[in-house]
Amino acid sequence: NPKATIGYAISLTSCGGDDDALTDGGAVLKHSIHLSSVHNPNSKSKYSYKMYAIVHPAAESCSKKLAALGYTILLKDTPVQVKDIQAKDLRENVEKNGCCGEKEFIKLWAYTLTEHPVVVHLDLDTLILQPLDDLFDAMLDKDNSGLLKDRTVMFGKQLPPSDEIDAYFTRDYNMAKPTKKHKLVQGGFLILRPSQASFEEFQNIITTDKYFKGSGWGGAGFTGYGAMTFQGIIPYYYDILHPNTGVELNRCWYNAMVDNPRDKPTTDGEHAVGDCRDGREDCEDCRNEPLENVNTVHFTLCQKPWNCLPQDQDRIQHRLCRKFHHKWFEVRDDLENGWAKKAPTSDLTVRDGQLQRDHFFGFCNYRGEKGYIHMVVPPSGM
């Protein structure tokens, strides 16, 4: 029997026409979670999973694709109506902030999934490479001392007691100057302890006059891209309102994006120069991280796998991105091999792509998004 069932959620704010992100991204993400769960004996994980899609009404029409993949659809409007926001600057500007405006707040509905002890909220362009059991155990076991590896927590900080850990996240240092005191979180990765009380507290924070022009949530300096919504309110909640309950993870291992740790371009293709974005004198370069250390990948700077980019230049940025893309196609290949055992060949993808077949597994004809061979989901779904 599984130790517990973890809720995994993604959010859908609009139907932008990117079918690959919905169908292919959703299917591969789910299968990567499956491979890192108790349902795959080779993973040695103790945890089961259940998939959710938190869907804004504006995206209801395209959410059926996720339902066909086995996601439970939760149709949710924003937790707070914009007209009810008291802070003038937030009320007048939130709809055009970040990628998705006020709709980004629908991610907060993940806190209401209280039938699960832990919920993981991810973006669709994410891949799980290894079980997250050590993080779950550290939240749920009474004695979590010694559970996590030395470099799991950012800056080598100590892990709080298990009953005090309410969230794990990574910071988005790419969006801040090295001298900035309060850094935003990266919005595509949050592991949280569900709580109806926490959800209602978020509603109250957004509604009441807690946002200040120029200095953000609580006047604490949470500003920048997406700061009005999820990427700013989450660090405000865990850094200021509930300190020592949120744990910043090492971004080389979790939510890895292959980002430059310093604030100047890597002109020679190998060595980072400039000041460390995280404020330290010296900082590790995640672009050199061995693949076997990485737990989750977020395809932002590396671009989406379905863009069929070989990333085969011998440069620090491309080497790890290529490995990440290869793993994504490997998971897709494993998924479709499983379908092939149950479905007629006529219902499956024809893998006749000629671009670097050993790398793309026959799913790319040529470079670029138009060269990608779209996934064909069998009528029986997943």
Side-chain angles (χ1 to χ4, degrees):
N1 293 330
K3 182 175 180 177
T5 299
I6 305 299
Y8 283 84
I10 61 95
S11 291
L12 194 59
T13 58
S14 64
C15 295
D18 191 349
D19 289 341
D20 297 331
L22 270 181
T23 300
D24 299 38
V28 173
L29 171 60
K30 182 190 173 192
H31 192 57
S32 74
I33 292 167
H34 180 85
L35 292 175
S36 291
S37 76
V38 70
H39 305 287
N40 174 21
N42 293 331
S43 75
K44 299 181 181 179
S45 173
K46 305 180 294 292
Y47 293 92
S48 185
Y49 68 95
K50 183 175 180 179
M51 304 299 301
Y52 295 90
I54 304 169
V55 178
H56 189 274
E60 183 178 8
S61 62
C62 54
S63 66
K64 297 175 182 177
K65 297 173 182 178
L66 291 172
L69 296 172
Y71 286 74
T72 296
I73 305 300
L74 304 175
L75 192 63
K76 299 289 185 181
D77 204 345
T78 51
V80 169
Q81 296 301 304
V82 173
K83 64 180 179 60
D84 295 328
I85 297 174
Q86 296 176 18
K88 184 175 183 290
D89 188 54
L90 182 64
R91 184 178 64 251
E92 293 180 351
N93 294 291
V94 69
E95 291 176 296
K96 51 183 180 288
N97 184 255
C99 73
C100 317
E102 83 290 355
K103 295 175 185 175
E104 188 82 350
F105 282 131
I106 69 170
K107 292 180 177 180
L108 296 174
W109 286 103
Y111 283 88
T112 66
L113 297 174
T114 53
E115 60 267 43
H116 301 283
V118 177
V119 171
V120 182
H121 191 286
L122 302 167
D123 280 358
L124 271 171
D125 56 346
T126 299
L127 189 70
I128 307 296
L129 296 183
Q130 298 186 52
L132 303 177
D133 286 35
D134 54 348
L135 299 181
F136 303 150
D137 289 344
M139 289 182 80
L140 302 177
D141 292 351
K142 289 184 179 180
D143 180 11
N144 64 6
S145 58
L147 278 176
L148 299 186
K149 299 174 184 177
D150 291 342
R151 288 179 57 217
T152 300
V153 181
M154 195 68 178
F155 307 121
K157 291 184 178 180
Q158 293 297 310
L159 196 68
S162 59
D163 58 354
E164 295 179 12
I165 302 175
D166 287 334
Y168 298 107
F169 50 79
T170 62
R171 304 270 183 192
D172 200 344
Y173 292 102
N174 294 291
M175 295 294 182
K177 295 180 180 179
T179 54
K180 188 177 177 65
K181 181 180 180 181
H182 290 297
K183 310 291 199 299
L184 305 181
V185 301
Q186 210 293 323
F189 176 92
L190 178 67
I191 300 177
L192 60 95
R193 192 188 301 272
S195 163
Q196 184 66 31
S198 295
F199 175 74
E200 292 172 3
E201 186 176 1
F202 277 114
Q203 288 180 304
N204 182 63
I205 293 167
I206 298 167
T207 305
T208 56
D209 200 3
K210 298 278 196 316
Y211 189 89
F212 299 90
K213 185 176 182 179
S215 56
W217 294 104
F222 293 108
T223 57
Y225 183 83
M228 285 186 169
T229 58
F230 194 77
Q231 291 179 222
I233 199 170
I234 292 297
Y236 172 58
Y237 187 84
Y238 290 110
D239 291 351
I240 307 298
L241 299 181
H242 300 278
N244 302 316
T245 62
V247 176
E248 180 184 358
L249 298 176
N250 186 335
R251 72 183 192 282
C252 293
W253 289 9
Y254 299 94
N255 202 30
M257 299 191 298
V258 196
D259 55 313
N260 182 353
R262 296 181 181 268
D263 63 353
K264 292 183 180 179
T266 307
T267 53
D268 66 352
E270 289 297 330
H271 303 98
V273 294
D275 295 326
C276 291
R277 293 180 182 273
D278 61 18
R280 291 181 290 178
E281 286 294 321
D282 192 27
C283 46
E284 58 191 334
D285 194 332
C286 297
R287 298 174 295 180
N288 284 321
E289 194 68 30
L291 180 65
E292 58 267 22
N293 289 347
V294 180
N295 290 265
T296 76
V297 176
H298 192 182
F299 294 103
T300 55
L301 298 173
C302 285
Q303 304 300 311
K304 314 309 178 194
W306 45 89
N307 286 345
C308 290
L309 300 175
Q311 306 266 18
D312 50 5
Q313 291 180 313
D314 189 20
R315 298 169 63 87
I316 190 171
Q317 182 72 32
H318 292 128
R319 286 192 293 268
L320 190 53
C321 283
R322 180 173 172 85
K323 292 176 182 177
F324 286 171
H325 281 188
H326 182 73
K327 293 298 292 187
W328 189 92
F329 282 98
E330 185 179 87
V331 173
R332 177 180 171 180
D333 181 68
D334 186 79
L335 171 62
E336 298 203 38
N337 286 341
W339 286 346
K341 297 176 182 179
K342 305 174 184 177
T345 304
S346 59
D347 291 337
L348 300 174
T349 309
V350 177
R351 308 182 204 185
D352 57 358
Q354 297 303 307
L355 179 64
Q356 298 185 11
R357 289 182 62 85
D358 59 334
H359 179 65
F360 293 113
F361 290 85
F363 295 122
C364 288
N365 271 315
Y366 45 86
R367 293 171 183 254
E369 189 176 358
K370 292 183 179 179
Y372 180 71
I373 297 175
H374 302 267
M375 181 180 290
V376 177
V377 181
S380 57
M382 293 175 67

